[in-house]
Amino acid sequence: MVLGMIDKYVVQPVYNFFDEVGRIVLFAMEAITLLFRPPLFWREILTESHHVATTCIIPVVCTVAPIGCILAIQALNILRPLGVEKLMSSMVVIIMVRELSPAMTSIMIAAQAGTSMAAELGTMRVKEEIEAQDVMAVNPIQYLVIPRFIALFIMCPILTVIAFFVGMAGSYVISVYVEGVNKGAFLTGLWTYLEMYDVGGAIFKSCVFGLVVAVISCYKGFYVTGGAAGVGRAANDAVVICITTFLILNYFLTSILWITM
Amino acid sequence: MVRFVEFIGALFGKVLSEVGAIGLFVIKTLSVGISTFPNLKRFGEECYNIGIQSLFVVCSVGAFIGMSTALVGYATLKDLGAQNLVGIFIGIASIRELGPAVAAFMVAAKAGSGMAAHIATMRVKEQIDAMEVQAVNPFWYLIVPRFLAIMVVLPVLVVWNDFFMLGTGYMIAVFQLKINSGAVMENLLSTVAMADIWKGMIKGWVLALFIVSICTFKGFTCEPGALGVGKATNQAVVYCIAILIIINFFLSQWLYGGIGLRGM
């Protein structure tokens, strides 16, 4: 009885977790080995990049701009009582560049592009289009998965850099026009503590997050089973696993990039 | 130029009609919810589904975000020579902003998209039509229990999330960053008021309403086929997260902001 319970609630979940992780890693490795083997469908890469960029830009802007505004309000709440209002922008820019714009951009990319990839590939699997490609001697990983990998790997950093500007614009508007901070103090404060290393680190982070989104959502979509319900479940799983994984990775990356180094 | 204006007009029309459709959907749910006695068994099931399914994700993400918050606060405040103030930073960032927001995001991503996928699958398989034929009101059976459940569960998850974020932030500050534990605790307790926790719960409650109305609407009005289910899930998550952040800004401005409401 007790052994049965332990088996059901402890051993099986742990086994399933490592099984899933192993499958994802094998899938990623297969995709990466096939990347260096012709043919490379560059037209697909361009289409996918265009698709990712155009569908994600509005959600990214819509989320990062309010985040900048909130950051300005709360930073003023902390710093005004201490009388160091002019340090507000240096604090906001560092938090924005190091943490929030990579994290929020990748959350939105996972929500928009990740789920749509999982749903798209899942629908193709359910309609047996992927099997049809295999039969026609077009490797589906080369034709469907690798372009998505490359598109996310390229587009994630670009959207992150756009997010920096949008977020800082949001916090500028709120702090200068609503809360009445001095314009000059805000603009000079931006460059007090920010270094090029911070921007590079943020771009590195967002490349990693882009790969995580690509691997997980393509894996979830590629191996869908069970019809329409399966497609819905794949999209749901993809977004949850993506967000959880890169928020966990985020801690380790921040710790390595800015505390130990 | 004319085509641009046309495009903008069409876009606005589409957005407004979508918002109107969601509004009508919510009004219909409200009328059903008020005029009938809620299905308590389904309400319990939904509480279990939303709460227990999301609990693990919310707590694990909250724990790691708390760690990142401590690291960022330390890195920012170290330049000013004020490492000891990291307690204030952790307290304000976690309880006021990130606690409610992260709990709402993860519930939107896990339970919300699950809801959309589930209801959309039922729509595609014509189970909702079958329900109507059997004189079971689908709003009463599917939508109202979800509304009630998420309004109860999300504020509780916000408190859980606050607890995990503060706990991990404290541990990172003390054990990794080697800040005096008394200073962290003292600063934390002196900034965080009980009112902040209540306000966080209010935030969670309002955000819950937005999550559930968008996700159930997207599932309920799903297009046919597997493609439709995928699209419904995708749109539910994206709209939810984008709208959550925008609403969160206004809530922060209302609860903590400066325009005429300072000291609230």
Side-chain angles (χ1 to χ4, degrees), chain B residues 12-30:
Chain B
F12 264 96
K14 231 170 83 183
V15 170
L16 286 182
S17 71
E18 190 87 1
V19 172
I22 294 180
L24 288 178
F25 181 79
V26 172
I27 288 172
K28 178 135 195 227
T29 311
L30 270 183

Side-chain angles (χ1 to χ4, degrees), chain B residues 58-221:
Chain B
V58 167
C59 291
S60 57
V61 167
F64 279 93
I65 290 197
M67 294 180 186
S68 304
T69 315
L71 292 185
V72 178
Y74 177 77
T76 318
L77 294 169
K78 194 182 63 183
D79 295 336
L80 311 176
Q83 295 95 314
N84 287 343
L85 295 183
V86 84
I88 297 185
F89 189 91
I90 297 172
I92 289 199
S94 311
I95 293 204
R96 290 195 180 170
E97 286 304 325
L98 292 172
V102 168
F105 284 167
M106 294 323 291
V107 169
K110 176 82 189 165
S113 69
M115 252 178 228
H118 186 206
I119 297 178
T121 315
M122 292 183 77
R123 168 66 78 192
V124 168
K125 288 188 177 166
E126 303 183 349
Q127 291 172 357
I128 293 182
D129 304 319
M131 223 180 258
E132 268 173 8
V133 170
Q134 291 167 332
V136 176
N137 189 338
F139 279 88
W140 175 75
Y141 193 76
L142 293 174
I143 314 286
V144 175
R146 287 189 163 86
F147 266 74
L148 295 175
I150 203 169
M151 285 193 294
V152 174
V153 167
L154 193 49
V156 180
L157 285 177
V158 168
V159 176
W160 267 94
N161 195 21
D162 285 348
F163 173 73
F164 271 82
M165 290 181 71
L166 289 182
T168 51
Y170 174 81
M171 288 203 297
I172 289 295
V174 173
F175 296 118
Q176 188 183 353
L177 304 173
K178 305 272 187 276
I179 299 169
N180 185 343
S181 66
V184 175
M185 213 35 155
E186 176 57 34
N187 282 327
L188 213 162
L189 290 179
S190 64
T191 16
V192 173
M194 198 59 203
D196 288 335
I197 295 179
W198 287 119
K199 286 176 183 174
M201 287 174 79
I202 292 175
K203 263 190 181 179
W205 192 79
V206 177
L207 296 179
L209 283 178
F210 282 91
I211 294 175
V212 73
S213 33
I214 292 172
C215 291
T216 47
F217 173 78
K218 279 286 164 201
F220 207 74
T221 55

Side-chain angles (χ1 to χ4, degrees), chain A residues 127-207:
Chain A
K127 287 187 177 168
E128 302 185 352
E129 288 173 28
I130 293 181
E131 283 87 343
Q133 279 182 2
D134 251 337
V135 171
M136 293 190 294
V138 177
N139 190 328
I141 290 187
Q142 278 183 337
Y143 187 72
L144 296 171
V145 175
I146 287 176
R148 287 176 167 76
F149 272 41
I150 295 176
L152 278 178
F153 188 70
I154 296 169
M155 281 304 149
C156 211
I158 293 178
L159 286 169
T160 307
V161 173
I162 294 174
F164 293 161
F165 289 104
V166 175
M168 288 321 293
S171 80
Y172 179 82
V173 167
I174 284 293
S175 51
V176 172
Y177 296 112
V178 179
E179 303 274 351
V181 175
N182 188 340
K183 256 183 226 177
F186 187 95
L187 291 176
T188 18
L190 292 181
W191 310 108
T192 322
Y193 297 114
L194 190 70
E195 287 164 19
M196 207 53 212
Y197 178 75
D198 293 331
V199 178
I203 288 175
F204 172 72
K205 255 190 187 178
S206 64
C207 289

